Amino acid sequence: MKKTVYITLLSIFIFSCKHDLEKPTWEVDIITPIAHSELSISDLINQNETIVDQQIGSDSLVSLVYSADLLQTNYDNLLDIQSTTNEKMFRIDSVKFDDVVIEHNITIGSIITELGVLGPILYPDGQDRDIPAMPGVVQNDTIDIDASEYFETMTLYNGKMNLEITNGFPTDISNMSFMLYNSISLNLIATFNIPLIESGATYTESVSVAGETLDQIMLGIINNMDIEASGGLVPINYTDAISTTVSITEIQIMEATAYFPNQLLHEEIVEQSFNLGTTKLTEIGIKEGYISIIATSSLPDTISILYFIPSLTKYGVPFEELVKIPPNINTTPTSLYFNCDGYIMDLKGQVGRIGGDTVNTIYSEMHIYLDSTGELETINRVDSFNLYNEFNIVPEYAKWYIGQDTLLLSPETKNTSIFESITNGTIDLKEANLNLSIQNYVGADASISFQQFSSDNTNDNHPPTSVTTDQNGANIIGNPYFIERATLNNENIIIPTLININLDASDMLEILPNQTTVAATFMLNPNGEQAVEDFLYIDYPISATLDASIPLSFIANNLTISKTIEIDLSSDTELEIDELYISIENGIPLSAKVDVILLDQHNNTLDTLVRNTNIICANTDTENRVTTASNNLITITNTEFNNVRNMKIVASFTTSSITEHIDIYSYYTMKVNLSARFKQIIGE
Amino acid sequence: MKRILSILILLPFLLNGQDTIITNSDPVQDYISLSNKRDRPIPKKHHLSTTSYLTVESDDLNSSFLNSMLFGGFITDEMKDKWINSGDESNQINAEITNGIRYQYTTYNLNSYYFQFSDVNLINSSFSDDLLKLTFHGNYDYQEETLDFSNTVIRADRYQQYKVGYGYSKWIKTDYLKISTALSYLVGNHHAQLNINKGSLYTSEMGTYLNLNYDINTMMTDSSNLSPFVGNGKGMAVDFALSYTKDYNTFGIHIRDLGYINWNKSSIIANTDSSFNFTGIEVNDFNSLPEFNDSIMDISFSQNTSSFRSFIPARITLSYSKTLEHKYFNSISIFSHSRWQPYQVKGGLNWDLFHRGFKESGYTTSLDVSSNIDLKYINSTIGFSVGGFTDGTKILLTLSDKKGIFTIGTYHLNELFKKDKTSLSAFIQLQTRF
């Protein structure tokens, strides 16, 4: 029983005190750094995405530097080598044709045979006999004149038919009548009447066949031929013959279907000049370009053109091209392009020309050939061949006298955004050096003269501020600045010349301009042609750059800079920041009054993070050099960051002295630390 | 008879004193303490007992801290300050909950065999006030100060112990010698250990930078299964006891639970050792500011899964007891308790390990003095203890019925009367003999 009581009491004791275990909660207060940065003036300059750069002097004084191209000249118009030659046309009346020669023989043996059976008995071969007169021994004898190996048909506007008869008989022949007919049309071509041809003699006669049409087969008819008596014994040799040669010479075709031989149709050897105004060039280096031939041919055979330009060389080898112009179909011209990149064009004309070297002129030869195919071709006298050339050249350089050229640089106003962030206040610069640097890579004298050179702040209702005098005290406006020509050394490397125009631009910059205006006149070879050879390399023109150097030695009084930056301060965490601390260790002799405004994506104001907060400038000595940094603390409380997408910062800067210029050195820094205090409930 | 019973019941218990997790009341030992051999009845063969023991001790942190940690609630600044400002700058917390059951068989010639099963939960922690400041206050209030939380230790174990033991008894004339040994098989459930060998945080003015140094090692069993009886490790432990009774004086030495647990390969061992100065994200371009909530700190742990070994707290006791001839006070006992529990093995078994074990246990050798009182209806033991996990003096009290069936007690009687308790302990034992 007692045991039972004890056990019961024990159980009650154990289980009655049972509690559910739970996690405790408490609040912790944490401060932690978020970000830090150490900025020098260099960093601040680099934060602005402008083209302003910086230089640090040997004494660590920071200078702002700015460089811009003021002038870039273009000489494309000066050296415009684009030319098209006049169109040339060649007719085919110059086509040549070989003489047609056809031979035919009548032997004694054939005549004796025609005498019948007694003929060979009375007049045996190899015997001496007395030949009586035989009138009409040949009558209406037809000879085929076969010219089919030369032509099929031919109409001549000029030509001669030649007949040559050589009497190889031992007796004279007389009263010979010879007529020549076309075998197809049977029209009479020519008639020859020969009264006497002595034994061993040759008779020749020519008649004009101009206007005649000849068939490939012609008929020569010997109407009559008498044999005179021998007047004694003469040797009878059956092989003795009367040789007849019919030839057609001096053939000039009106139309022909014939086998034409390869032959030169036309050649043109000329000098061609380029119109370059006052520019007188003796040599051009070609950077890139082409020469083209555009040709049209109605000839049935291919035309070959040999184009030879001794004036155009590459590595000493002159330009030579042999090209084919096929028969054109549908009058579509054939265009051929010849690349002449890297060539040198001599513009002094033909070597050894009469009158000596010239300028702007090239010498070229063109030989045009007919390429025979060996087939029958029909050529008409009106068939022609047309062609013209084009020169399209971009020079790399040019030599001799590049002419006198004037470039007017119209007043050009450029907007500048360098000072756009500055909305208020004044700045007094100790100095601001502006250097106009003109570099001449052209082998020709030049000059530049400014009609306008000013800066303006369109927001201040004051007139523009113009440049004044250069380093020599001369007024910059209107003063012509002469720039000597560049030279070439032995390795053809350009040695440029340079002039610098220095001026103090502090007045122009202190107005915090947003515009600059420049107008100038630039002239090449202002003094005309000189004895020294000019040269011009297209890729190396005359350039002018404007370099500004502004040492950061200034007095600023409430110089207000306003800048809006994109920033996303939203946070995915549930961390709620109670306070933000911005600790600034300012080692720059500038004090600032800062406003920071939080904006949403549409730049609507959400909250003012910092208002009129002073940042004390660094401590300086009597020479306005920083000795120690000042410590500043900005506390930001109760700010919602979730919709913040932009942050506008307005800061007004004032130098530690507003009577003496303060120098800003590269080693001046500002350390910024951002830390946050937040309270977190642990255990929730 | 009452005296006999009181000794029978309480002496073994008191032999281990406050340091006892499981009371291993030894009826044999009780028996031989009787002055007259002839008065000694033959002890019963079978002895069955069950014990539950709870202790929570802290040298500086009071019960409100424990209540908050266990049962929740919002911790106010006043509570934080009270915890931080109480006691010295070092804080110790030790908590044990043990439940067990034991069976012992005693032979005719007083040799004994026993089997004991225990379920053990241990938490042992040592940390500085600076850690409390950092944890509860944060670092805002400690700008331009260094919070040093080096030598922070948190250890927690849960395991089951299966122990078999044998006691050998021998009479030497009228003197009595008892030698006991036991071997334990340990089934480890969970182990979590955090050692911050070196740790400090300096916060500059306005939080512009933080200087953090740390050398942290952690060892933890696989947390994918948090079942209270999951087997994540196996180990063994040994016991050894020697006592000698001459006349009415008994001298003893007892080493208990000298052992370790090997935790399995899926355990996680991680360490990190670094020193860095954090100043926030460096901003070089104000036109492109980084994300506001970008990761601020990146503490990287070198972590790997591997087996490791941890030690269970070994208890070493030197004792002296004397039987008194007094109407009420039956005996007086003096105990010296020590503990040995190094954090980990470094370099094998050597003198350094031996020396470290005592230091790293967090336990200061304690001195207990107690006396058994034979009252009319109950038996009682009362005493005091100095040392251990706490600095102050503790009063112990046990009460049991005359037959020794039910015993209840505490080692921190003096704390019961305090409003802000720093320690708490209680135990209950039920036993029977047959």
Side-chain angles (χ1 to χ4, degrees):
Chain A
M1 180 61 188
K2 287 183 181 176
K3 288 182 188 176
T4 306
V5 170
Y6 289 144
I7 291 169
T8 305
L9 285 173
L10 178 63
S11 302
I12 293 169
F13 171 74
I14 289 171
F15 291 101
S16 65
C17 300
K18 181 179 177 184
H19 283 268
D20 288 332
L21 296 179
E22 289 181 9
K23 282 197 293 187
T25 58
W26 67 93
E27 184 180 79
V28 290
D29 196 352
I30 296 172
I31 185 168
T32 182
I34 302 292
H36 72 278
S37 187
E38 184 169 352
L39 302 169
S40 63
I41 281 290
S42 304
D43 297 324
L44 289 171
I45 291 167
N46 291 334
Q47 296 300 324
N48 290 307
E49 296 169 346
T50 67
I51 47 178
V52 175
D53 207 342
Q54 57 177 315
Q55 249 178 21
I56 298 172
S58 58
D59 59 353
S60 300
L61 183 65
V62 177
S63 296
L64 297 179
V65 292
Y66 168 78
S67 184
D69 289 333
L70 194 64
L71 171 71
Q72 281 284 359
T73 51
N74 187 306
Y75 303 106
D76 291 349
N77 293 332
L78 204 63
L79 299 175
D80 184 12
I81 313 292
Q82 292 191 38
S83 172
T84 303
T85 61
N86 293 327
E87 186 171 353
K88 307 174 195 47
M89 187 177 76
F90 315 105
R91 288 188 182 275
I92 309 301
D93 53 1
S94 59
V95 172
K96 294 183 179 57
F97 201 85
D98 293 338
D99 295 338
V100 176
V101 179
I102 301 118
E103 290 183 0
H104 181 77
N105 294 323
I106 303 173
T107 63
I108 287 181
S110 64
I111 293 176
I112 292 174
T113 303
E114 284 180 6
L115 293 177
V117 179
L118 293 178
I121 296 171
L122 293 176
Y123 303 98
D125 187 19
Q127 300 295 320
D128 292 341
R129 293 288 186 275
D130 184 7
I131 298 173
M134 286 182 270
V137 67
V138 175
Q139 283 195 332
N140 298 322
D141 193 12
T142 303
I143 304 169
D144 281 339
I145 311 296
D146 185 358
S148 62
E149 69 175 276
Y150 295 96
F151 60 87
E152 189 175 274
T153 179
M154 187 184 291
T155 303
L156 307 173
Y157 72 89
N158 196 19
K160 282 188 178 171
M161 181 72 75
N162 308 298
L163 178 67
E164 182 182 288
I165 300 175
T166 303
N167 183 7
F169 282 3
T171 62
D172 299 340
I173 57 175
S174 61
N175 297 322
M176 187 172 189
S177 171
F178 183 82
M179 299 174 88
L180 195 64
Y181 292 89
N182 277 321
S183 63
I184 296 173
S185 62
L186 296 178
N187 62 303
L188 178 65
I189 300 170
T191 302
F192 300 91
N193 291 308
I194 306 149
L196 177 69
I197 305 173
E198 292 180 354
S199 173
T202 299
Y203 173 81
T204 58
E205 185 179 349
S206 298
V207 296
S208 171
V209 289
E212 296 289 341
T213 298
L214 306 176
D215 293 338
Q216 60 182 329
I217 305 291
M218 293 172 281
L219 300 175
I221 300 175
I222 303 176
N223 292 319
N224 184 68
M225 185 179 81
D226 297 341
I227 292 178
E228 298 293 324
S230 65
L233 291 174
V234 292
I236 304 296
N237 189 339
Y238 280 17
T239 61
D240 287 341
I242 296 172
S243 176
T244 306
T245 302
V246 175
S247 65
I248 308 171
T249 61
E250 299 178 16
I251 298 172
Q252 285 185 293
I253 302 164
M254 186 175 288
E255 183 176 351
T257 302
Y259 299 97
F260 289 91
N262 293 335
Q263 55 188 285
L264 177 66
L265 290 180
H266 182 81
E267 62 181 12
E268 195 167 282
I269 298 169
V270 294
E271 283 184 339
Q272 182 175 346
S273 295
F274 301 101
N275 183 7
L276 299 175
T278 59
T279 305
K280 300 175 185 176
L281 302 179
T282 58
E283 181 179 310
I284 288 178
I286 299 176
K287 187 177 179 181
E288 58 186 21
Y290 63 88
I291 299 171
S292 63
I293 295 175
I294 294 91
T296 310
S297 168
S298 65
L299 289 168
D301 263 334
T302 299
I303 302 294
S304 291
I305 300 176
L306 176 65
Y307 196 14
F308 177 57
I309 309 177
S311 296
L312 195 63
T313 59
K314 189 171 185 179
Y315 307 126
V317 178
F319 176 88
E320 186 174 356
E321 293 285 343
L322 179 64
V323 297
K324 305 280 186 187
I325 308 294
N328 287 107
I329 301 170
N330 300 325
T331 67
T332 305
T334 299
S335 299
L336 299 166
Y337 296 91
F338 308 102
N339 184 290
C340 51
D341 294 357
Y343 274 81
I344 296 173
M345 183 179 280
D346 184 301
L347 294 169
K348 298 194 287 289
Q350 186 180 10
V351 174
R353 67 192 302 277
I354 299 168
D357 291 340
T358 183
V359 294
N360 301 344
T361 302
I362 63 167
Y363 166 71
S364 66
E365 296 177 7
M366 187 181 290
H367 308 273
I368 303 170
Y369 295 87
L370 179 67
D371 280 350
S372 173
T373 60
E375 301 291 328
L376 273 175
E377 300 288 350
T378 300
I379 293 179
N380 195 300
R381 186 184 179 203
V382 300
D383 282 335
S384 62
F385 177 78
N386 304 325
L387 71 83
Y388 64 90
N389 294 89
E390 282 183 344
F391 290 86
N392 196 315
I393 290 170
V394 176
E396 179 188 351
Y397 68 86
K399 288 185 178 177
W400 195 240
Y401 176 60
I402 57 177
Q404 193 174 58
D405 192 26
T406 300
L407 289 172
L408 288 174
L409 302 175
S410 303
E412 187 181 356
T413 299
K414 279 188 182 174
N415 292 327
T416 175
S417 60
I418 297 172
F419 301 104
E420 68 174 357
S421 298
I422 300 176
T423 57
N424 203 358
T426 60
I427 186 167
D428 178 358
L429 298 170
K430 192 174 183 180
E431 60 178 298
N433 300 314
L434 213 59
N435 178 54
L436 178 61
S437 172
I438 303 173
Q439 201 161 33
N440 187 7
Y441 282 88
V442 177
D445 300 328
S447 71
I448 187 166
S449 166
F450 290 95
Q451 287 76 53
Q452 191 175 352
F453 194 166
S454 62
S455 67
D456 189 21
N457 184 336
T458 57
N459 299 318
D460 65 3
N461 296 324
H462 289 135
T465 303
S466 180
V467 295
T468 53
T469 55
D470 63 16
Q471 67 271 30
N472 299 318
N475 282 326
I476 293 174
I477 303 297
N479 182 38
Y481 291 91
F482 184 76
I483 310 142
E484 289 193 1
R485 61 181 58 222
T487 54
L488 283 173
N489 66 8
N490 294 335
E491 295 166 1
N492 266 348
I493 294 174
I494 301 172
I495 311 295
T497 58
L498 176 72
I499 66 159
N500 287 305
I501 305 168
N502 293 317
L503 57 114
D504 182 5
S506 52
D507 290 340
M508 291 174 69
L509 295 174
E510 283 169 3
I511 63 171
L512 306 174
N514 54 4
Q515 278 184 354
T516 57
T517 304
V518 178
T521 302
F522 177 80
M523 187 181 287
L524 209 59
N525 277 325
N527 299 322
E529 186 174 353
Q530 302 295 307
V532 180
E533 180 185 76
D534 291 355
F535 65 85
L536 170 65
Y537 282 76
I538 299 298
D539 290 340
Y540 294 91
I542 296 176
S543 63
T545 54
L546 191 64
D547 297 308
S549 174
I550 307 168
L552 283 183
S553 179
F554 59 92
I555 299 170
N557 193 0
N558 280 324
L559 191 69
T560 305
I561 295 175
S562 176
K563 190 175 173 75
T564 301
I565 58 174
E566 284 185 20
I567 186 170
D568 186 351
L569 296 178
S570 59
S571 172
D572 295 333
T573 68
E574 295 175 357
L575 215 59
E576 288 187 13
I577 294 176
D578 283 358
E579 287 179 338
L580 274 175
Y581 304 108
I582 305 174
S583 307
I584 300 172
E585 199 177 301
N586 185 10
I588 299 174
L590 284 172
S591 63
K593 191 172 279 186
V594 179
D595 291 334
V596 178
I597 301 162
L598 304 178
L599 309 171
D600 64 10
Q601 59 187 354
H602 303 296
N603 284 333
N604 297 318
T605 299
L606 291 173
D607 195 6
T608 299
L609 201 64
V610 172
R611 186 195 300 277
N612 277 340
T613 298
N614 280 322
I615 298 173
I616 305 167
C617 71
N619 302 312
T620 55
D621 58 16
T622 53
E623 292 180 1
N624 292 316
R625 284 187 178 241
V626 171
T627 53
T628 54
S630 67
N631 290 312
N632 303 270
L633 178 67
I634 302 172
T635 302
I636 301 164
T637 58
N638 299 327
T639 302
E640 177 61 46
F641 294 107
N642 275 337
N643 295 323
V644 175
R645 294 294 176 270
N646 295 296
M647 182 188 288
K648 182 178 178 183
I649 303 170
V650 181
S652 298
F653 294 95
T654 302
T655 44
S656 57
S657 169
I658 57 171
T659 55
E660 294 175 352
H661 292 95
I662 301 296
D663 296 336
I664 305 295
Y665 295 96
S666 60
Y667 50 81
Y668 287 164
T669 60
M670 178 186 290
K671 293 179 187 174
V672 180
N673 286 289
L674 178 66
S675 55
R677 176 187 184 185
F678 56 93
K679 295 184 181 178
Q680 181 78 4
I681 302 292
I682 305 295
E684 270 189 343
Chain B
M1 189 57 187
K2 292 179 183 177
R3 189 177 294 178
I4 292 170
L5 282 175
S6 65
I7 295 169
L8 196 69
I9 294 165
L10 297 171
L11 184 58
F13 175 81
L14 296 171
L15 185 67
N16 297 292
Q18 170 189 336
D19 199 38
T20 302
I21 296 298
I22 296 293
T23 58
N24 53 350
S25 56
D26 186 348
V28 176
Q29 193 65 35
D30 304 337
Y31 170 77
I32 56 90
S33 66
L34 291 172
S35 57
N36 192 342
K37 185 174 179 181
R38 287 175 299 176
D39 293 335
R40 300 171 187 143
I42 294 173
K44 295 195 178 165
K45 289 183 182 178
H46 306 284
H47 177 228
L48 183 65
S49 63
T50 172
T51 308
S52 291
Y53 173 72
L54 162 72
T55 183
V56 178
E57 297 172 275
S58 172
D59 57 347
D60 294 327
L61 297 171
N62 58 25
S63 56
S64 66
F65 177 82
L66 182 64
N67 284 337
S68 296
M69 290 298 119
L70 290 177
F71 305 119
F74 186 76
I75 300 172
T76 64
D77 286 344
E78 187 186 348
M79 290 164 70
K80 298 174 194 174
D81 292 336
K82 199 171 180 182
W83 296 343
I84 291 168
N85 296 327
S86 65
D88 56 17
E89 294 212 349
S90 175
N91 301 278
Q92 289 263 18
I93 294 179
N94 188 71
E96 301 177 24
I97 300 176
T98 303
N99 297 287
I101 185 166
R102 173 180 164 136
Y103 166 76
Q104 182 171 312
Y105 174 78
T106 306
T107 65
Y108 172 77
N109 38 358
L110 300 182
N111 294 329
S112 59
Y113 304 86
Y114 70 90
F115 170 77
Q116 182 175 296
F117 168 78
S118 308
D119 180 86
V120 181
N121 302 271
L122 302 170
I123 294 177
N124 176 260
S125 177
S126 170
F127 49 89
S128 64
D129 276 350
D130 280 356
L131 183 64
L132 289 178
K133 289 175 187 174
L134 184 62
T135 305
F136 290 113
H137 281 302
N139 67 334
Y140 180 81
D141 294 329
Y142 303 102
Q143 296 174 45
E144 295 188 285
E145 283 184 42
T146 299
L147 295 174
D148 190 348
F149 46 91
S150 303
N151 300 316
T152 295
V153 178
I154 301 173
R155 278 190 288 196
D157 277 296
R158 174 175 163 73
Y159 58 91
Q160 289 77 50
Q161 184 174 23
Y162 300 86
K163 185 185 290 188
V164 290
Y166 171 72
Y168 170 74
S169 302
K170 184 174 176 61
W171 287 101
I172 304 169
K173 294 185 181 174
T174 58
D175 298 340
Y176 181 69
L177 175 68
K178 178 77 179 283
I179 300 172
S180 300
T181 61
L183 183 64
S184 297
Y185 172 68
L186 307 173
V187 175
N189 306 128
H190 299 287
H191 176 87
Q193 183 172 330
L194 170 75
N195 290 83
I196 303 177
N197 302 313
K198 179 183 71 175
S200 66
L201 174 68
Y202 174 79
T203 305
S204 69
E205 187 184 6
M206 300 319 299
T208 55
Y209 68 90
L210 302 175
N211 222 339
L212 179 64
N213 299 288
Y214 54 87
D215 175 9
I216 301 174
N217 295 304
T218 66
M219 293 188 283
M220 191 183 300
T221 48
D222 184 11
S223 58
S224 61
N225 184 354
L226 293 176
S227 165
F229 293 100
V230 64
N232 282 323
K234 297 179 179 57
M236 60 168 287
V238 294
D239 290 9
F240 175 77
L242 174 69
S243 69
Y244 184 80
T245 303
K246 182 179 178 62
D247 297 329
Y248 296 109
N249 303 292
T250 301
F251 302 89
I253 178 170
H254 194 175
I255 299 172
R256 185 158 61 86
D257 294 336
L258 177 63
Y260 60 87
I261 299 174
N262 284 329
W263 303 95
N264 63 22
K265 291 178 189 174
S266 53
S267 304
I268 299 167
I269 300 176
N271 57 70
T272 181
D273 175 6
S274 187
S275 173
F276 66 91
N277 179 285
F278 178 68
T279 54
I281 301 163
E282 184 169 7
V283 175
N284 291 316
D285 180 4
F286 279 87
N287 289 318
S288 173
L289 291 177
E291 285 280 329
F292 199 60
N293 59 339
D294 277 353
S295 172
I296 293 175
M297 290 190 184
D298 178 22
I299 297 176
S300 60
F301 268 82
S302 164
Q303 179 175 301
N304 61 309
T305 54
S306 173
S307 63
F308 67 91
R309 175 178 292 180
S310 71
F311 292 90
I312 61 173
R315 302 152 207 270
I316 302 105
T317 301
L318 301 173
S319 64
Y320 168 74
S321 297
K322 183 175 177 61
T323 306
L324 300 174
E325 296 288 339
H326 190 275
K327 182 180 179 181
Y328 296 107
F329 295 96
N330 296 322
S331 66
I332 185 166
S333 302
I334 301 172
F335 303 95
S336 170
H337 299 291
S338 300
R339 286 203 185 191
W340 185 88
Q341 187 185 14
Y343 297 143
Q344 57 186 332
V345 178
K346 288 180 194 173
L349 297 174
N350 51 27
W351 173 251
D352 175 66
L353 179 67
F354 177 77
H355 187 254
R356 278 194 300 112
F358 289 104
K359 183 182 171 190
E360 292 173 359
S361 68
Y363 188 90
T364 307
T365 301
S366 66
L367 181 67
D368 294 5
V369 178
S370 60
S371 178
N372 297 329
I373 300 171
D374 187 359
L375 300 174
K376 186 175 180 181
Y377 296 106
I378 59 174
N379 288 325
S380 170
T381 299
I382 190 162
F384 66 90
S385 173
V386 178
F389 289 108
T390 58
D391 301 327
T393 301
K394 300 162 279 285
I395 298 174
L396 66 93
L397 174 68
T398 67
L399 299 170
S400 69
D401 63 296
K402 283 295 187 178
K403 290 186 180 179
I405 295 171
F406 174 77
T407 303
I408 188 169
T410 177
Y411 291 115
H412 300 90
L413 180 66
N414 52 316
E415 295 287 339
L416 292 176
F417 304 105
K418 286 183 186 174
K419 186 181 175 186
D420 293 327
K421 301 174 181 48
T422 59
S423 299
L424 170 71
S425 63
F427 55 85
I428 295 173
Q429 184 182 60
L430 295 172
Q431 60 179 342
T432 182
R433 295 178 177 81
F434 54 92

